[in-house]
Amino acid sequence: MSAPFGQLPRWVDYGLLPFINLVVAFLVSGLVVLFIGASPLEAINYMVTGALGSGEGLGFTLYYATSFIFTGLSVAVAFHCGLFNIGGEGQVYVGGLGVALVALALDRIMPWYVTAPLAAAAGFAFGAAWALVPAWLQAKRGSHIVITTIMFNFIAASLMVYLLVNVMKQPGSMSPQTRLFESGALLPRLGFLFSPLGLDLGTAPLNVSFFLALASGFLVWVLVWRTRFGYEIRTIGANPTAAAYAGIRYGRTVVITMLISGGLAGLMALNVLLGDHGKLQIEFPSGAGFVGIAVALMGRSHPVGIVLAAILFGILYQGGAELAFWVPNITREMIVLIQGLVILFAGALEYMFRPALVRLFAPRGAAVLRPA
Amino acid sequence: MDLFDTLLIPVLASTLRLSVPLIFTALAGLYAERSGVFDIGLEGKMLFGAFAAATAAAYTGSAWAGLGAAILTSVLISLLHGFASITQRGNQIISGVAINFIASGLTVLLGNAWFGQGGRTPQLPNTARFTEITLPFVDQIRPIPVIGPIYASVISGHNLLVYLALLAVPFTWWVLFRTRFGLRLRAVGENPGAVDTAGVSVAWLRYRALICGGILGGFAGTYLSIAQSAAFIREMSAGKGYIALAALVFAKWKPVNVLGACLLFGLLDAVSIQMQGKRLPVIGEVPVQFIQALPYVLTVILLAGFIGKAIPPKAGGVPYVKER
Amino acid sequence: MTSPTTPPAIELVGIDKRFGAVHANKSIDLSIARGTIHGIVGENGAGKSTLMSILYGFYQADAGEIRVGGAPVAITDSQAAIRAGIGMVHQHFMLVENFTVLENVMLGAEGGVLLRRGTAAARAELKRIEREYGLDIDPDAVVEELPVGLQQRVEILKALYRGAEILILDEPTGVLTPAEADHLFKILGQLRAQGKTIVLITHKLREILAVTDNVSVMRRGEMVATRKTAETSAEELAELMVGRRVLLHVEKGPAHPGPVVLSVEKLTVRDARGVTMVDGVSFDVRAGEIVGIAGVAGNGQSELLEAIAGIRRPSAGTIRVNGEALGADGRLDPARVRASGLAHVPEDRHHMGLVLSFEENENAILGYQTDPKYLKGPLLDIDAIRADARAKIERYDIRPPDCRLRTANFSGGNQQKIVLSREIERDPAVLLVGQPTRGVDIGAIEFIHKRLVALRDAGKAILLVSVELDEIRSLADRILVMFAGRIVGTPPADADEQEIGLMMAGIEAREAAE
């Protein structure tokens, strides 16, 4: 029948509840810090100053956030269609192949503003292609997309190791990576934007793909809430039977949605490869595909929420690195733990505090008409 | 005969060794998923189990204490999964993903805080491990052609947990198809309403299924850190939980098939190790990565329904809500 | 009400239950005499199922007492109900489909930790029950392979196996043919003869009058009356159910049928398992008439409707609208069907007709999202969509009049109006309507019926599918009876109920087979 829970005011549902979940995740993280004999307050201090206290820290924070916006949007678009794309990691990885191929081909003959759009297109296309088979299997054969995308993450890892070790490795080099890209494939950094503010980004790799990420967020919002196709995506996600009744083609919609989702993940490679690493190396996504899950859950699959959540995770990643550097008992894995706790409380336990809030807001919130 | 001794026998022995964590873990998933709870968090359970086993064994010097700690930890993680997905009716997949992250983070964090070796636990002496057991009559049987080397080098010479894994398969089959608990477990994964109206608590039944999975997850972890190796190393589960998940799907959620699927995937793993840098006659060098990816590729093909059809338990992934 | 010497089998005193804002049971008192068949009637949503769920321990009452055999019992869960000797046959069977009959019967009463001994005992006990009540069934048959009537028998066996003295049946005939229903009633009679007490919940008055000893009527969560069946009539019960005299006849003039608009020819539809659900059906619907399809649920009506609407792919046959074949190019989908002037009010609005989590205005374009008037290029024209929704809300008196409210927050009647307004306002040449008044309150029923008649008088062709024979008889100008996927009869609109009932049971087909 109708929702098993009472109605809540929108600001509670989309603001207060996620906030409470987040606070609880951080409280539990604080307890862990306490348990291993460090001071949570000191830890927060290191994290915040590390992430936001200097121009360089801020630059790194936003650089990480850029990656997470892409992967968060990727997960969110699929969520709206009722699909759990757990394969962002593999799609980023293969997207990186597309980016690298364009970069290797053009970096010596073209300026960056020619190379970058083509590399972005290739990253999107390769990421999308990696999502195609799971999407098609879900659409046509009903194979559970969670399992197939997990499998494709591992297949991507094997494929990329093979390519990097046997095909793309620079001759004479020991490590499995391509040659370094030259200036025609390196994205401009954004230091010039921050220097008037008196902030020096230093070595921070924040680059123009940050704007591409924000633009992608806007486009995803338009796509999901303002286009006919977005309406069809949301209908399938909320009620596939009604979607069939409405003449919305399930297979086509699922496949296109997953292509967009995979493509957004693939775009992340642009930020990392052309903005920072300047080469394609093994395991470059280093978990960002999975961070996208946490970001999408925390951001409630809305681009504004995703950008905010991505910045928060940027702070965690940058601040966490600082923290691990200064506090001997804490390692970088602290971030992974916090990530897990955020996924747990903002995702799996998202409704734990809802009944209490419903009771709290019942007089005003739940008085909406109900069938007698 | 030379190829038999130098290639086949070692590959078979290592197949068995590599299959063991998969068998435990896939069976753990089997209990959960046959009861209608998807369990993506197998990897995390294994990792937590491995860490707990190594830590407890390091402190107490007893492998058995390690096993106990691993089981306890893994069961607790299962209960967390149960709380999220049964009691709070949360998304089972998200809960599993969360558990995997928490495991990756917390094991290293705690390991580093306690032992200061960057997440490693101290190297264990053999007395604090499960070590190889030599089965009786090995010396008498060894000279017999074919059977002899197989008995001496493939069947004998493993640690206790290897034999327990092999026993866990028929045991699970027996539990599932010959006991009251098994009947109810299979029923609750298909139609929880039938179980509820029969006066059996759906939640408690699913919790018990998850506890069974937790126990097996503990065995899997123990095997990794204090039987196969002598310490916990960060991320030592290395995706085995996901391969086990693939094996479970590949086995169509049936206990005996699980053994077959895990042995097959173990064999592929063993072959890929064995093939490193070697050339095969006719084919030439087969990329190791190709063999490593094969279990995943095979599972995708199976899921696609091109070789048989893997039909998951009907009520899987759906939290139980009483209908009005 | 019962004789003073034997206490009633069940006594409910002041049972009260709320779900949030919904007061499902209001201080219910009820007494059911031992060894009788007691009917409980009421409209959908009157609170019958909630009351029985409380009795079976599925829900806890907020207040009140349950007495079994005169003694108060706390029924905290189904186990407690079973211990108290209460068994229940649910409307949707609670069976594990890939289990055998025996496994299903044993589930929850296995007789020991290991199955082996219990299985032998259960087999023997099942044999005994079979003999005693004439309920023969193969214990090793897999449930999903059994016909519906036998699956229901398994449910009854489950209850008897657990030693039920009191058997509750919730809408047991909804999925049965009249013949199967008769057989069920015979079984119930035998059970009563053996001293069992039976509670029969239904909204079908004919069944109540045919088999019960006593009948209680529920309305809007209240128990409004209890009668001896012999001393009441269908009219009285109907009036008690709805609270006022029912308009059994819809005000409508004679039809003026025009040319054929919808033409269905030799249509065959198979379901996912390959079972033929619609078997070579042919009929026409003319402009300005309502054609009603009568039949017991599950005889292919749903599949027929969905095939015409383009949701299901027929395996053979043609559908024509205004002479033009739908999907002549081999592609038939709901969007194309709509474009050809056909609108569809689906049988199940919660699962098909609406997306409950959407805002009202979003549902007001469901199926018409490709209409240029709601679009600006690839973008949705939000202003146009909301203005359109507001206009419909006003014309159809949808309450509350808020096009941005989540659809789940509207009542059943108002939800149905959202669907109807969406489909009727398209001014379709053909309207397909499935179960237009299921779960809808009386006021909205009248409104909906009037709208349908008005549409007919405007010269539209209407195909109506309903399992409520009364609705078909009062609305339709022509009636087609469906049984086992075929149209087995075309009784005149004034044919009597008995005649149509026999057709619905497929009596002729059955006799020919025997």
Side-chain angles (χ1 to χ4, degrees):
Chain A
M1 290 287 288
S2 45
F5 311 106
Q7 185 91 353
L8 278 175
R10 266 172 203 238
W11 70 271
V12 176
D13 233 348
Y14 293 96
L16 186 60
L17 187 60
F19 179 73
I20 293 176
N21 290 333
L22 194 63
V23 167
V24 174
F26 279 104
L27 280 179
V28 176
S29 313
L31 288 178
V32 173
V33 172
L34 209 57
F35 180 71
I36 58 179
S39 151
L41 289 177
E42 200 188 354
I44 290 173
N45 191 24
Y46 276 119
M47 281 187 113
V48 173
T49 44
L52 303 173
S54 68
E56 192 166 26
L58 183 67
F60 270 102
T61 297
L62 292 178
Y63 163 74
Y64 289 126
T66 304
S67 289
F68 302 153
I69 292 173
F70 284 122
T71 53
L73 290 172
S74 161
V75 175
V77 167
F79 269 160
H80 280 293
C81 198
L83 303 166
F84 198 154
N85 177 12
I86 222 166
E89 191 76 1
Q91 291 146 16
V92 171
Y93 214 165
V94 176
L97 178 63
V99 169
L101 288 175
V102 170
L104 290 171
L106 300 180
D107 63 343
R108 287 168 176 163
I109 50 174
M110 289 289 174
W112 73 268
Y113 50 83
V114 174
T115 310
L118 292 172
F124 190 95
F126 275 61
W130 203 247
L132 178 64
V133 173
W136 186 81
L137 290 176
Q138 167 81 47
K140 297 288 170 197
R141 321 277 311 190
S143 321
H144 205 308
I145 203 158
V146 169
I147 310 275
T148 48
T149 48
I150 290 177
M151 299 301 128
F152 266 72
N153 282 340
F154 287 100
I155 298 172
S158 292
L159 175 73
M160 293 299 286
V161 170
Y162 172 76
L163 288 178
L164 282 167
V165 170
N166 298 302
V167 184
M168 299 179 78
K169 195 174 66 174
Q170 199 178 0
S173 160
M174 286 305 289
S175 49
Q177 59 188 37
T178 62
R179 68 170 171 82
L180 283 174
F181 306 148
E182 293 183 13
S183 63
L186 299 180
L187 298 178
R189 297 198 170 172
L190 298 184
F192 68 95
L193 279 182
F194 287 80
S195 44
L197 304 172
L199 288 170
D200 176 14
L201 291 195
T203 59
L206 177 63
N207 59 76
V208 289
S209 44
F210 179 62
F211 297 115
L212 181 64
L214 294 181
S216 302
F218 177 72
L219 289 176
V220 165
W221 177 80
V222 171
L223 171 76
V224 173
W225 279 280
R226 284 297 179 268
T227 68
R228 193 196 73 174
F229 186 66
Y231 177 86
E232 297 181 338
I233 291 176
R234 286 185 293 129
T235 306
I236 286 182
N239 184 345
T241 317
Y245 158 80
I248 297 166
R249 279 149 71 189
Y250 178 80
R252 184 173 159 270
T253 312
V254 162
V255 169
I256 295 177
T257 306
M258 280 301 289
L259 291 180
I260 295 171
S261 174
L264 285 166
L267 280 182
M268 191 206 107
L270 193 73
N271 182 43
V272 177
L273 301 193
L274 304 194
D276 183 21
H277 295 179
K279 63 191 173 193
L280 175 65
Q281 57 188 9
I282 60 163
E283 290 180 5
F284 81 86
S286 57
F290 293 111
V291 181
I293 298 168
V295 167
L297 286 171
M298 227 180 83
R300 294 220 137 201
S301 298
H302 191 289
V304 173
I306 286 168
V307 169
L308 294 176
I311 292 174
L312 184 84
F313 270 91
I315 293 172
L316 280 179
Y317 267 68
Q318 170 56 18
E322 291 284 323
L323 178 65
F325 186 75
W326 292 110
V327 182
N329 258 358
I330 294 181
T331 63
R332 280 206 66 132
E333 277 72 15
M334 186 75 216
I335 313 165
V336 181
L337 171 66
I338 296 176
Q339 204 170 304
L341 290 169
V342 167
I343 295 177
L344 183 69
F345 285 103
L349 293 174
E350 84 184 298
Y351 296 125
M352 185 160 61
F353 300 107
R354 208 167 187 281
L357 286 178
V358 169
R359 271 195 297 279
L360 204 63
F361 289 95
R364 266 181 303 158
V368 192
L369 272 182
R370 280 306 221 67
Chain B
M1 206 59 222
D2 186 42
L3 214 59
F4 179 80
D5 276 335
T6 59
L7 195 64
L8 192 62
I9 292 290
V11 164
L12 287 182
S14 96
T15 294
L16 193 55
R17 278 193 290 273
L18 292 166
S19 303
V20 167
L22 302 184
I23 294 171
F24 279 130
T25 313
L27 289 177
L30 187 136
Y31 280 95
E33 303 208 347
R34 286 299 289 248
S35 84
V37 181
F38 282 160
D39 199 350
I40 304 277
L42 294 171
E43 177 88 2
K45 261 177 233 173
M46 198 187 324
L47 199 57
F48 261 124
F51 176 71
T55 304
Y59 278 124
T60 61
S62 153
W64 291 100
L67 179 64
I71 289 173
L72 191 68
T73 311
S74 175
V75 166
L76 283 175
I77 298 301
S78 293
L79 292 178
L80 175 67
H81 185 48
F83 176 71
S85 55
I86 301 169
T87 307
Q88 294 292 333
R89 300 190 193 123
N91 185 314
Q92 299 169 1
I93 291 161
I94 294 177
S95 168
V97 170
I99 283 170
N100 289 340
F101 276 113
I102 293 172
S104 305
L106 201 54
T107 49
V108 180
L109 209 56
L110 291 178
N112 186 58
W114 288 340
F115 304 108
Q117 298 177 16
R120 262 189 84 96
T121 60
Q123 195 72 17
L124 295 170
N126 277 349
T127 51
R129 295 178 56 218
F130 288 99
T131 50
E132 283 67 35
I133 300 167
T134 306
L135 295 183
F137 309 116
V138 164
D139 292 330
Q140 288 87 326
I141 297 174
R142 196 191 301 272
I144 305 174
V146 187
I147 299 171
I150 288 181
Y151 181 77
S153 305
V154 179
I155 297 175
S156 172
H158 296 289
N159 62 67
L160 179 68
L161 298 183
V162 175
Y163 302 109
L164 285 181
L166 294 176
L167 287 177
V169 174
F171 179 73
T172 297
W173 177 87
W174 180 80
V175 167
L176 225 52
F177 296 100
R178 288 292 178 270
T179 70
R180 175 172 76 188
F181 173 62
L183 182 80
R184 293 176 176 185
L185 184 98
R186 286 182 289 130
V188 81
E190 292 288 328
N191 183 359
V195 172
D196 195 4
T197 50
V200 180
S201 161
V202 171
W204 174 224
L205 190 52
R206 287 187 167 166
Y207 267 111
R208 276 183 290 170
L210 286 180
I211 290 171
C212 292
I215 294 170
L216 286 161
F219 275 99
T222 306
Y223 179 80
L224 286 186
S225 66
I226 68 171
Q228 204 177 21
S229 28
F232 173 83
I233 306 159
R234 45 169 303 183
E235 296 291 344
M236 83 182 305
S237 52
K240 289 193 180 63
Y242 293 109
I243 299 200
L245 197 65
L248 179 60
V249 175
F250 203 74
K252 302 178 183 179
W253 293 269
K254 292 182 179 136
V256 179
N257 291 5
V258 162
L259 179 63
C262 291
L263 287 172
L264 173 66
F265 290 180
L267 174 70
L268 289 172
D269 202 1
V271 168
S272 80
I273 293 168
Q274 198 56 231
M275 296 261 293
Q276 211 107 32
K278 284 183 191 159
R279 300 185 69 83
L280 281 185
V282 190
I283 314 168
E285 191 174 338
V286 179
V288 183
Q289 292 83 13
F290 174 77
I291 302 169
Q292 282 167 344
L294 212 50
Y296 307 112
V297 174
L298 285 174
T299 304
V300 169
I301 293 173
L302 182 85
L303 272 169
F306 295 121
I307 36 168
K309 189 103 186 105
I311 301 165
K314 218 180 275 168
V318 190
Y320 179 60
V321 183
K322 286 184 185 190
E323 279 182 50
R324 204 192 302 178
Chain C
M1 211 178 328
T2 42
S3 69
T5 46
T6 53
I10 299 177
E11 239 182 323
L12 303 179
V13 186
I15 295 291
D16 209 88
K17 178 74 184 172
R18 284 174 188 275
F19 294 101
V22 183
H23 203 165
N25 284 168
K26 298 174 190 165
S27 189
I28 304 280
D29 294 324
L30 177 67
S31 172
I32 294 172
R34 186 177 300 279
T36 63
I37 300 181
H38 193 115
I40 296 182
V41 289
E43 287 194 291
N44 287 316
K48 304 168 302 220
S49 291
T50 302
L51 187 65
M52 291 306 120
S53 294
I54 289 171
L55 193 49
Y56 194 62
F58 240 45
Y59 299 120
Q60 304 289 296
D62 300 332
E65 190 176 87
I66 301 171
R67 294 181 199 143
V68 177
V73 288
I75 297 184
T76 49
D77 55 17
S78 302
Q79 192 81 59
I82 293 165
R83 272 198 306 272
I86 300 171
M88 182 143 175
V89 175
H90 296 263
Q91 191 175 358
H92 306 288
F93 302 149
M94 295 297 181
L95 297 170
V96 182
E97 295 198 330
N98 61 357
F99 274 22
T100 63
V101 171
L102 189 67
E103 284 175 313
N104 266 294
V105 168
M106 286 173 68
L107 184 65
E110 296 85 350
V113 174
L114 300 184
L115 292 179
R116 215 164 125 198
R117 264 190 35 216
T119 308
R123 205 177 276 278
E125 174 67 7
L126 212 53
K127 271 269 163 307
R128 190 190 65 75
I129 296 172
E130 276 179 34
R131 271 199 311 275
E132 199 169 331
Y133 302 102
L135 292 167
D136 53 322
I137 196 162
D138 172 12
D140 297 313
V142 176
V143 164
E144 62 194 349
E145 288 161 10
L146 293 175
V148 174
L150 284 183
Q151 291 190 9
Q152 188 175 57
R153 194 173 291 184
V154 179
E155 283 280 55
I156 297 173
L157 282 171
K158 268 168 71 178
L160 295 175
Y161 180 76
R162 287 164 171 73
E165 286 300 314
I166 300 156
L167 196 61
I168 306 168
L169 296 103
D170 188 3
E171 299 283 1
T173 59
V175 289
L176 302 183
T177 63
E180 282 174 322
D182 285 345
H183 196 94
L184 171 69
F185 295 146
K186 230 174 268 163
I187 291 170
L188 296 185
Q190 261 158 354
L191 291 173
R192 173 176 55 186
Q194 304 271 352
K196 309 274 185 198
T197 307
I198 289 155
V199 183
L200 180 66
I201 302 166
T202 179
H203 66 281
K204 295 181 185 169
L205 298 178
R206 203 171 326 118
E207 290 171 4
I208 290 288
L209 293 172
V211 298
T212 63
D213 301 304
N214 300 296
V215 53
S216 297
V217 184
M218 286 191 79
R219 181 174 74 226
R220 290 170 183 247
E222 282 176 275
M223 191 61 80
V224 290
T226 296
R227 299 276 186 275
K228 280 202 159 49
T229 308
E231 295 165 6
T232 185
S233 67
E235 285 74 20
E236 187 195 16
L237 291 176
E239 204 181 316
L240 285 166
M241 271 165 68
V242 298
R244 64 182 157 91
R245 200 160 279 285
V246 203
L247 275 180
L248 278 177
H249 232 76
V250 179
E251 304 274 342
K252 63 166 191 179
H256 304 288
V260 171
V261 182
L262 172 68
S263 165
V264 173
E265 218 174 293
K266 298 201 175 107
L267 189 72
T268 298
V269 184
R270 299 205 168 86
D271 70 2
R273 294 167 298 168
V275 179
T276 303
M277 299 306 290
V278 177
D279 191 359
V281 164
S282 302
F283 62 88
D284 291 336
V285 185
R286 292 169 175 276
E289 70 167 352
I290 300 177
V291 172
I293 295 189
V296 178
N299 275 291
Q301 306 98 309
S302 307
E303 290 78 6
L304 174 67
L305 217 49
E306 289 178 13
I308 299 174
I311 299 167
R312 264 173 206 269
R313 182 180 298 275
S315 48
T318 28
I319 302 160
R320 288 194 175 82
V321 175
N322 283 325
E324 225 162 289
L326 296 180
D329 55 354
R331 286 183 51 192
L332 184 64
D333 67 53
R336 284 156 176 258
V337 169
R338 275 193 187 89
S340 68
L342 197 139
H344 177 202
V345 176
E347 292 185 297
D348 186 338
R349 59 178 173 271
H350 284 165
H351 287 111
M352 194 173 266
L354 295 168
V355 180
L356 292 177
S357 59
F358 275 10
E359 291 177 6
E360 194 273 346
N361 68 81
E362 292 179 298
N363 271 310
I365 63 164
L366 186 69
Y368 302 102
Q369 69 278 0
T370 53
D371 186 331
K373 87 176 177 195
Y374 300 128
L375 297 174
K376 282 192 260 179
L379 300 184
L380 298 172
D381 186 345
I382 301 281
D383 293 332
I385 292 169
R386 288 185 189 156
D388 194 65
R390 278 188 214 106
K392 282 175 189 157
I393 284 176
E394 197 171 315
R395 267 202 294 284
Y396 282 76
D397 189 27
I398 296 166
R399 288 182 219 181
D402 176 1
C403 77
R404 302 215 47 199
L405 190 65
R406 257 168 45 110
T407 311
N409 293 323
F410 289 87
S411 72
N414 282 300
Q415 287 174 350
Q416 186 68 312
K417 282 185 185 174
I418 296 171
V419 179
L420 270 172
S421 68
R422 180 179 73 210
E423 302 302 324
I424 292 180
E425 292 290 298
R426 298 298 300 187
D427 196 27
V430 184
L431 182 69
L432 309 177
V433 193
Q435 320 295 348
T437 54
R438 177 185 280 169
V440 167
D441 45 284
I442 281 283
I445 290 179
E446 267 191 67
F447 181 91
I448 290 166
H449 282 173
K450 275 188 189 146
R451 280 281 167 177
L452 292 176
V453 171
L455 194 68
R456 177 200 75 164
D457 292 341
K460 309 301 179 188
I462 298 177
L463 181 65
L464 166 75
V465 167
S466 176
V467 291
E468 303 294 336
L469 191 50
D470 291 341
E471 183 165 71
I472 295 273
R473 277 161 43 92
S474 55
L475 273 180
D477 302 307
R478 283 197 294 134
I479 299 174
L480 309 174
V481 181
M482 254 186 114
F483 173 77
R486 276 194 288 253
I487 291 181
V488 293
T490 53
D494 56 356
D496 69 21
E497 202 158 299
Q498 217 110 40
E499 192 180 333
I500 302 176
L502 285 175
M503 288 180 185
M504 283 164 65
I507 291 301
E508 285 138 333
R510 196 172 291 257
E511 281 167 353
E514 274 165 8

